[in-house]
Amino acid sequence: MKICEVRTRVAQWSGEITPLPPHFCTNPMDLLALPQSSMKTFTFHSWLVVEVMTDDGLVGIGNAALAPIVTKQVIDIHLKPLLLGADPWDTEFLWQHMYRKTIAFGRKGIGMAAISAVDIALWDLLGKSAKQPVYRLLGGRTKTRIPVYASRLYASPLEELASEAAKYKAEGYKAMKLRFGWGPVDGAAGMQRNLELVRTVRETVGDEIDVMADAYMGWTLDYAKRMLPLLEPFHLRWLEEPVIPDDVRGYAELKAYGRVPIAGGEHEFTSYGFRDMLEARAVDYIQFDTNRVGGISQARKVCALAESFSVPVVPHAGQMHNYHVVMASLNSPMAEFFPPVDVEVGNELFWHIFDGEPRPKDGFIDLDDQLPGLGVTINEESMKQFQIIE
């Protein structure tokens, strides 16, 4: 079996997009006080789909959501030539070849997103070749079902926020995550608005539901240090991405306070990046995304590394490339789940492009033992809602 083609397509959403209200979610752009909505920088309404094809008719599917047009170019120009004619079972060699080929410009960010997309497709291909789900290739089940937490609850009027939180509780979720809407430029008054969000969700769901909160890199270290004692009474399971990802020292300082567990890693890459975070004792939870961190080949290495530090892994974004990693890792206690909604931030596009994404039942999802590979297919009919760039 040899790789005979690598096809990349960018699917740009051409349907309606729900506008984001002010203070929808803090983010790193807030500090610049720009006139337009700063969260627009972190919305993505296109997705990269990668298909790796073999001479015996198998097709592996991968994907990337970060800067898909540029990521496509990295694959087409730099990665595809070294993949053609290769044996897809040589995943480690191919990963190292892609990594070292692009090391001068691709160690993090777009270059690693490109490698991740290809690597995910390769593992999907291997599962189909072996007629086994990917998690079986990674070691098999470590849990009968995967607990998932409802991840939405953006900053909104408190009555709406309470209603949404109550809905997730009624649907059986045992954990849910909200987003903060205010940051350093909003001062002490903004801190009180953030506390109102957390208080509303906690009072709505009670103390037997885990509540997490995400600052999405929108705070400074000083602001986060002021917020920690205010958040402590609400018993958050974790505070997510309180500062920008390069501030590992800031993460470590916040974790050292021991007031609220600290989570991060959504914007970190490869086992080298997470080695530095773990050695710095910077986080209580690791949150890589498999289609960013370096694909399944790197995700499993980070899981093993994190286990040696007794730091749990809860990947960002759910989706099948993460669920298979979680199923095969005892050190991954649960996964994130984005409930389907109208297209707003962009996470919702996965539901339009791919078939096979599992739906939770009573706060759990399961993976089908009989579905080889990752268990997703491309919905070509739904793709007609997109402008396609080949």
Side-chain angles (χ1 to χ4, degrees):
M1 182 169 64
K2 301 294 183 183
I3 297 172
C4 64
E5 183 58 280
V6 178
R7 182 189 188 191
T8 59
R9 288 181 285 173
V10 173
Q12 293 185 319
W13 178 248
S14 55
E16 293 186 3
I17 297 172
T18 303
L20 304 183
H23 299 287
F24 184 73
C25 179
T26 52
N27 64 82
M29 296 290 285
D30 289 346
L31 290 178
L32 300 181
L34 298 172
Q36 68 271 28
S37 172
S38 62
M39 190 59 189
K40 286 183 179 179
T41 302
F42 298 95
T43 57
F44 48 99
H45 297 129
S46 57
W47 209 289
L48 176 66
V49 179
V50 178
E51 295 166 276
V52 176
M53 306 169 186
T54 65
D55 54 7
D56 59 357
L58 294 177
V59 180
I61 299 171
N63 70 90
L66 292 181
I69 292 177
V70 183
T71 302
K72 170 181 164 57
Q73 292 178 320
V74 173
I75 295 173
D76 292 346
I77 297 170
H78 299 282
L79 304 185
K80 180 177 177 177
L82 61 87
L83 293 165
L84 294 177
D87 185 337
W89 279 95
D90 294 333
T91 53
E92 181 63 17
F93 175 82
L94 290 175
W95 194 94
Q96 293 290 347
H97 196 176
M98 291 187 289
Y99 171 65
R100 293 166 191 276
K101 174 78 171 180
T102 60
I103 200 167
F105 62 87
R107 293 165 42 245
K108 300 192 178 191
I110 292 170
M112 196 50 60
I115 292 173
S116 300
V118 170
D119 186 79
I120 289 169
L122 289 173
W123 279 91
D124 184 43
L125 192 59
L126 300 193
K128 290 170 178 174
S129 176
K131 297 180 172 58
Q132 296 289 336
V134 167
Y135 69 81
R136 293 286 298 276
L137 304 184
L138 296 174
R141 287 180 179 266
T142 62
K143 45 188 77 71
T144 56
R145 298 179 299 169
I146 298 174
V148 293
Y149 68 88
S151 181
R152 195 171 178 279
L153 294 174
Y154 287 93
S156 59
L158 298 183
E159 289 186 5
E160 294 178 15
L161 187 68
S163 177
E164 187 181 357
K167 174 178 175 287
Y168 296 143
K169 181 178 180 179
E171 290 173 352
Y173 292 97
K174 301 301 186 292
M176 60 189 71
K177 186 170 75 182
L178 63 93
R179 276 75 173 172
F180 292 110
W182 290 266
V185 298
D186 303 302
M191 288 183 170
Q192 293 306 310
R193 302 294 83 74
N194 283 330
L195 295 176
E196 288 172 358
L197 298 174
V198 180
R199 183 180 297 109
T200 296
V201 174
R202 174 55 77 201
E203 290 178 352
T204 298
V205 302
D207 291 327
E208 295 186 0
I209 302 292
D210 277 325
V211 175
M212 296 81 83
D214 188 354
Y216 197 59
M217 309 175 287
W219 293 356
T220 61
L221 178 59
D222 172 66
Y223 186 91
K225 287 160 66 175
R226 294 172 64 195
M227 283 293 298
L228 281 183
L230 302 178
L231 292 170
E232 190 172 5
F234 301 105
H235 308 293
L236 294 177
R237 182 157 181 175
W238 68 63
L239 168 63
E240 183 168 330
E241 289 199 303
V243 294
I244 58 174
D246 287 328
D247 190 7
V248 176
R249 179 187 173 279
Y251 269 97
E253 186 171 342
L254 294 173
K255 180 182 181 300
Y257 283 123
R259 288 180 175 270
V260 178
I262 302 298
E266 174 184 339
H267 297 95
E268 190 52 82
F269 305 85
T270 75
S271 57
Y272 293 106
F274 284 97
R275 179 196 63 185
D276 293 344
M277 291 186 75
L278 289 164
E279 289 182 344
R281 300 187 178 186
V283 290
D284 295 287
Y285 291 89
I286 277 177
Q287 297 176 302
F288 65 70
D289 195 324
T290 300
N291 74 352
R292 302 177 184 180
V293 73
I296 292 170
S297 293
Q298 281 293 292
R300 64 175 183 162
K301 292 183 179 182
V302 176
C303 281
L305 182 63
E307 184 176 346
S308 72
F309 281 82
S310 297
V311 175
V313 172
V314 183
H316 165 260
Q319 301 163 4
M320 291 296 267
H321 46 266
N322 289 312
Y323 292 146
H324 282 263
V325 173
V326 171
M327 180 61 84
S329 175
L330 190 65
N331 192 44
S332 291
M334 64 178 175
E336 187 169 18
F337 180 80
F338 291 135
V341 295
D342 293 337
V343 175
E344 49 181 18
V345 174
N347 298 311
E348 311 81 20
L349 298 182
F350 202 86
W351 292 102
H352 294 271
I353 297 172
F354 301 102
D355 287 331
E357 184 82 354
R359 303 279 184 130
K361 182 178 180 181
D362 298 325
F364 293 85
I365 62 110
D366 198 6
L367 302 180
D368 190 337
D369 293 332
Q370 305 306 313
L371 278 179
L374 292 172
V376 295
T377 57
I378 301 169
N379 187 331
E380 296 291 350
E381 183 64 28
S382 182
M383 287 275 274
K384 294 176 182 178
Q385 303 173 84
F386 296 79
Q387 177 186 353
I388 305 299
I389 301 173
E390 294 264 11

